[in-house]
Amino acid sequence: MQVVVGIALAFLLLAVAFLSFNAYAVEEGSASAATSNEASSSSAVAESAATPEAKKPESKPESSSASASSSVPAAPDDKDAQATATTLESYVAAQVKAALEREVVPAGHALAEIEGIHADTGGSVFTFVSPINATEIPGDLYWVGNRVELSGSKIDNDVLAAGFQGSFVNSDVAGDVRIASQSALIDNSVIKGNADVLALDIMIDGSSAANGFYCGGGTIDFKGASKRFIAYGQSIYFDGTVDGDVTLSAQDIVIGPHAKVSGLLDIRSGQSLEVLDIPATAQIAHIDTNLDHPNTIDQITQIRAAIAPYFQIGSLLFVVVSFILLGLAALWGFGQKLTEANRLVRRYPLAVLVLGCIALMLMFVIVMLGTVLIFTIPLSIVVALILIISAIFCVPFTGASVALMFRKRFKPALCVILGSGIGAALLFVPYVNQLVFLVSMIYFVGYVVNIAMFGHDERHDASFHARQADEDAPKGKARGILPVAVEESNADPED
């Protein structure tokens, strides 16, 4: 199971690699940026720069750090502006250097070995063990799991990780970090190399540092320190310290009051200048804004937001109509099986429940373990396709089968339409959709397994076809393409 999870999450790592290449390309292109705006700063910047060893400036500038209007860069003879920029650069550089040189885990700190983590001859480790607490890995760490949590540990080389939740807390990494997860947290950790982070929610606190941060995700909150910062996302909050250039591309961008940038702050967003209000306490050397000129991400976001209500209604109608058609096709193709499934479940509910649960678990195990060996991969693919088909067909089948309980009051076709349509609509209700889908899968798979093991109810099939023939015979032609579910003359008392 762990191997399959690792293979599945490896695709996320490919996305991280793509993000890295894109980020490095942006970094190369940003060196040739066009006209930038000169930052204005107060004497407090010079005072704070005079003591670069301090972790935070004692006083904050009161004037705005930058203006978004186009202006010509400072002329060489503007010595005041050059002095201000120089002091800001040296101050920010000192802060970032101190952050990167800091050792979170002291050199003399005793670190224990964790069971299940064994390094190869090169010192590298590939593991599913999590969390990793208070240990040291002499080489690379290749890490896959549900929760990849590194705490109080030292990694002497690179980290490549994928999981649903990732966190680096109170840890030192001597090399690069590449992580793909649903949520990512870097808290009081120092990464001597670059950190490539791909996640829906990214949180980098103020006591964390890396040579360069390259982030892509939904919500990005950055308060750390680095020599380069590039972020693409839906919403970005930047309040960190960067000794170099910063590129922010998102629909919503917020600059925090403690932001410090010694290079160029390149902002790419569709929001207006009035919305992008840079605090006066922020210390930024240069700003290049592309406001009101949305990039591709902004345009996609705006289009998605505009069509979201219609798309949701369209999705609901599409699913409902599709499931109704599937239910009618099932009634037309093997209508007696729908009534037989209903009778079977009512007669042997516990047996169908147990068989359905066991079959689903075995199918998942086969899919996961089947990818371990090359010659079992075809079997795994076949079982996976069966699972996908069952997932698509289980809700309309179950809805139609249950609705046929009311065939005495309504026509079978109307029962199928109502049952399949209601089942499809319930898939759009939060929490209820999970219960409906799970019950439908167990219902459908349990019925199929029961039939495969014990066969069909031949008496019920014969009665169904006999009744159909009797109804079609008087007029000499078929009364419709949809068969009619019937009652048996010697039906069980339960029916």
Side-chain angles (χ1 to χ4, degrees):
M1 177 177 179
Q2 293 175 336
V3 175
V4 175
V5 173
I7 294 175
L9 293 177
F11 291 100
L12 293 177
L13 296 177
L14 295 178
V16 175
F18 175 78
L19 173 66
S20 303
F21 293 138
N22 187 26
Y24 292 130
V26 172
E27 182 175 6
E28 293 296 330
S30 64
S32 59
T35 304
S36 62
N37 299 323
E38 197 66 27
S40 61
S41 60
S42 64
S43 59
V45 178
E47 293 177 2
S48 59
T51 56
E53 67 279 0
K55 192 171 185 179
K56 292 185 179 180
E58 297 180 358
S59 60
K60 301 177 182 178
E62 298 178 355
S63 60
S64 178
S65 63
S67 171
S69 60
S70 300
S71 62
V72 180
D77 56 353
D78 192 349
K79 296 182 180 180
D80 293 337
Q82 290 180 358
T84 300
T86 302
T87 53
L88 176 61
E89 290 177 2
S90 60
Y91 166 61
V92 174
Q95 278 197 314
V96 174
K97 181 180 179 182
L100 289 173
E101 292 178 350
R102 183 171 63 93
E103 289 189 359
V104 180
V105 181
H109 187 69
L111 298 174
E113 295 184 359
I114 297 180
E115 183 180 356
I117 297 181
H118 305 288
D120 58 16
T121 55
S124 298
V125 172
F126 179 85
T127 183
F128 298 98
V129 175
S130 182
I132 297 178
N133 297 320
T135 191
E136 182 174 6
I137 295 176
D140 298 325
L141 172 59
Y142 301 93
W143 200 8
V144 177
N146 182 25
R147 299 170 63 92
V148 287
E149 299 178 358
L150 186 71
S151 177
S153 301
K154 296 179 67 174
I155 310 298
D156 295 339
N157 211 346
D158 300 335
V159 177
L160 185 63
F164 291 101
Q165 292 183 344
S167 64
F168 290 72
V169 181
N170 304 327
S171 299
D172 283 321
V173 180
D176 298 329
V177 169
R178 289 180 173 85
I179 179 172
S181 61
Q182 183 175 4
S183 62
L185 169 66
I186 300 179
D187 182 9
N188 191 32
S189 298
V190 175
I191 302 168
K192 298 298 192 297
N194 296 319
D196 301 327
V197 185
L198 180 65
L200 293 178
D201 297 305
I202 300 174
M203 172 68 180
I204 302 172
D205 83 319
S207 56
S208 298
N211 187 66
F213 280 105
Y214 305 93
C215 303
T219 302
I220 302 172
D221 188 336
F222 177 76
K223 300 184 182 71
S226 68
K227 296 181 180 179
R228 188 74 170 94
F229 183 73
I230 296 178
Y232 292 86
Q234 174 70 24
S235 176
I236 298 176
Y237 178 76
F238 177 80
D239 197 25
T241 302
V242 177
D243 180 25
D245 296 336
V246 174
T247 299
L248 306 178
S249 180
Q251 181 62 31
D252 299 315
I253 296 177
V254 178
I255 306 298
H258 304 103
K260 303 177 185 65
V261 179
S262 65
L264 173 66
L265 174 59
D266 185 8
I267 298 177
R268 306 172 185 180
S269 177
Q271 63 194 62
S272 63
L273 182 60
E274 290 75 15
V275 176
L276 182 65
D277 184 16
I278 300 178
T281 55
Q283 303 173 25
I284 302 172
H286 310 279
I287 289 183
D288 184 13
T289 58
N290 293 284
L291 302 177
D292 298 323
H293 297 284
N295 54 18
T296 304
I297 297 177
D298 299 326
Q299 293 173 352
I300 294 175
T301 302
Q302 293 172 355
I303 294 174
R304 185 180 62 182
I307 67 174
Y310 306 100
F311 183 78
Q312 186 173 6
I313 296 175
S315 300
L316 175 62
L317 293 177
F318 175 79
V319 173
V320 170
V321 173
S322 299
F323 278 22
I324 289 176
L325 293 178
L326 285 174
L328 291 175
L331 183 63
W332 175 62
F334 40 90
Q336 71 276 11
K337 301 300 185 297
L338 293 175
T339 57
E340 182 183 18
N342 183 272
R343 294 173 62 255
L344 187 65
V345 172
R346 284 190 295 158
R347 181 180 297 179
Y348 309 109
L350 183 60
V352 173
L353 174 64
V354 173
L355 287 175
C357 293
I358 293 176
L360 285 176
M361 289 187 291
L362 287 177
M363 293 171 74
F364 278 114
V365 171
I366 292 174
V367 171
M368 294 177 179
L369 298 181
T371 57
V372 177
L373 302 176
I374 296 179
F375 63 88
T376 57
I377 291 179
L379 175 62
S380 178
I381 295 175
V382 171
V383 176
L385 290 176
I386 294 175
L387 272 175
I388 294 174
I389 294 174
S390 300
I392 296 175
F393 193 65
C394 66
V395 174
F397 182 89
T398 303
S401 177
V402 173
L404 283 175
M405 295 176 58
F406 304 97
R407 59 185 178 272
K408 295 180 179 179
R409 299 181 180 181
F410 305 100
K411 293 183 178 180
L414 181 58
C415 291
V416 170
I417 291 174
L418 292 175
S420 301
I422 294 174
L426 290 177
L427 293 180
F428 289 85
V429 180
Y431 303 108
V432 176
N433 52 6
Q434 302 177 16
L435 179 62
V436 170
F437 180 77
L438 179 62
V439 171
S440 299
M441 280 289 287
I442 296 175
Y443 185 100
F444 178 72
V445 174
Y447 166 74
V448 172
V449 173
N450 194 294
I451 294 302
M453 294 178 61
F454 305 109
H456 292 284
D457 189 342
E458 297 180 358
R459 185 182 63 179
H460 179 72
D461 290 352
S463 174
F464 181 91
H465 290 297
R467 179 64 180 272
Q468 185 68 51
D470 291 341
E471 291 187 352
D472 291 344
K475 294 187 178 181
K477 60 180 180 179
R479 298 176 60 186
I481 63 172
L482 298 176
V484 180
V486 300
E487 293 288 334
E488 299 181 27
S489 57
N490 53 352
D492 296 331
E494 298 180 4
D495 296 337

